[in-house]
Amino acid sequence: MDKDGADIVRLDEPDTGILNKKGWSLITYFQSRQGGHGSTAYNKALEKALTIKREVGLRSYVKDGYTYWEIWEHY
């Protein structure tokens, strides 16, 4: 994924423990109801990800009627 020259890794690993073992740390997340304004949550997540100076990853998933966008940093 790339926006304005910044690379953002798409994280497809569903297991948080594995991501932590691979050196990833959860920074924050945004959520939206399914069928709602999901693009707003995605845009905010992307905006936040672009402020991080280290390698950054974005992971999304759906749970209990909500879409979650997580921002992860690689340390």
Side-chain angles (χ1 to χ4, degrees), residues 55-74:
E55 183 179 14
V56 66
L58 193 61
R59 178 173 81 161
S60 67
Y61 61 91
V62 177
K63 182 178 178 183
D64 298 329
Y66 288 89
T67 300
Y68 293 86
W69 297 96
E70 296 178 341
I71 296 99
W72 291 76
E73 179 181 48
H74 194 261

Side-chain angles (χ1 to χ4, degrees), residues 2-5 10 18-19 23 25 30 33 35 40 45-47 50 52 54 57-59 62 65 67 70-71 73 75:
D2 186 322
K3 183 176 182 186
D4 300 328
R10 181 173 187 90
I18 291 174
L19 286 173
S25 177
F30 295 87
R33 286 186 191 262
T40 301
L46 190 59
E47 193 174 297
L50 291 172
I52 299 171
R54 294 185 181 188
L58 193 61
R59 178 173 81 161
V62 177
T67 300
E70 296 178 341
I71 296 99
E73 179 181 48
Y75 54 91

Side-chain angles (χ1 to χ4, degrees), residues 11-38:
L11 300 173
D12 294 325
E13 174 60 55
D15 188 337
T16 299
I18 291 174
L19 286 173
N20 290 141
K21 287 179 182 178
K22 290 182 176 180
W24 290 96
S25 177
L26 179 64
I27 301 298
T28 191
Y29 69 91
F30 295 87
Q31 70 184 40
S32 65
R33 286 186 191 262
Q34 279 188 291
H37 296 288

